[in-house]
Amino acid sequence: MGRILAIDYGKKRTGLAVTDPLCIIANGLATVATSGLFDFLTEYISKEAVSQLVIGKPLQPNGQPSENLARVEQFVNRWRKAHPELPIDYYDERFTSVIAHQAMLAGGVKKKTRREDKGLVDEISATIILQDYMRSKGL
């Protein structure tokens, strides 16, 4: 069994999180420029055993698609064509950014860091997506 890797896909930046090899613990991996995401993931999976990708499905609070969903679907379609051996699933990402901000506040992340490190919230959001996905699968 390989790792599960979660993606919080954004227009400019994308947060990534990954499990340990036994799929017990979810950890933040990185925040990358969305323009370099495909290459980053391709390189990462060439070095690490990954058995599943999970990408946040951007929905509005009422369940309707958000404006980012079209970009996410384009990425997923491109991924599936290039890497059919590695499945990619959608997972509802509603409120993960709000929860990530709350976690940063609760964790004592300084205001200056929160303001300057915009990628941190993306990485934390990806970790939340991954934890919720793992919980939903009974892992």
Side-chain angles (χ1 to χ4, degrees):
M1 181 176 203
R3 299 173 187 266
I4 302 170
L5 191 145
I7 303 166
D8 181 32
Y9 192 95
K11 187 175 182 180
K12 295 179 183 178
R13 290 178 316 276
T14 296
L16 302 171
V18 67
T19 65
D20 62 294
L22 298 176
C23 296
I24 297 171
I25 300 170
N27 291 299
L29 176 62
T31 300
V32 298
T34 299
S35 60
L37 174 63
F38 196 91
D39 292 337
F40 180 92
L41 290 176
T42 300
E43 183 177 337
Y44 185 83
I45 66 169
S46 74
K47 296 176 183 174
E48 296 288 339
V50 175
S51 61
Q52 177 74 47
L53 295 182
V54 178
I55 190 163
K57 186 173 187 178
L59 300 172
Q60 296 177 25
N62 65 3
Q64 295 298 310
S66 78
E67 67 165 284
N68 198 36
L69 183 58
R71 286 186 285 273
V72 170
E73 288 175 335
Q74 282 181 323
F75 175 81
V76 169
N77 290 335
R78 181 178 173 209
W79 183 265
R80 285 181 173 155
K81 285 179 187 168
H83 299 281
E85 75 287 356
L86 186 56
I88 184 168
D89 284 339
Y90 289 102
Y91 193 78
D92 187 347
E93 70 169 21
R94 281 181 283 186
F95 308 114
T96 55
S97 292
V98 172
I99 296 167
H101 281 286
Q102 291 172 346
M104 289 169 63
L105 287 171
V109 175
K110 293 184 169 117
K111 187 175 186 178
K112 182 178 179 184
T113 302
R114 292 192 315 263
R115 190 173 48 244
E116 292 175 358
D117 190 357
K118 301 219 184 278
L120 182 58
V121 73
D122 299 318
E123 189 175 323
I124 294 170
S125 292
T127 306
I128 293 166
I129 291 167
L130 183 53
Q131 288 172 331
D132 288 350
Y133 177 82
M134 290 168 60
R135 194 173 301 119
S136 76
K137 299 297 182 184
L139 301 173

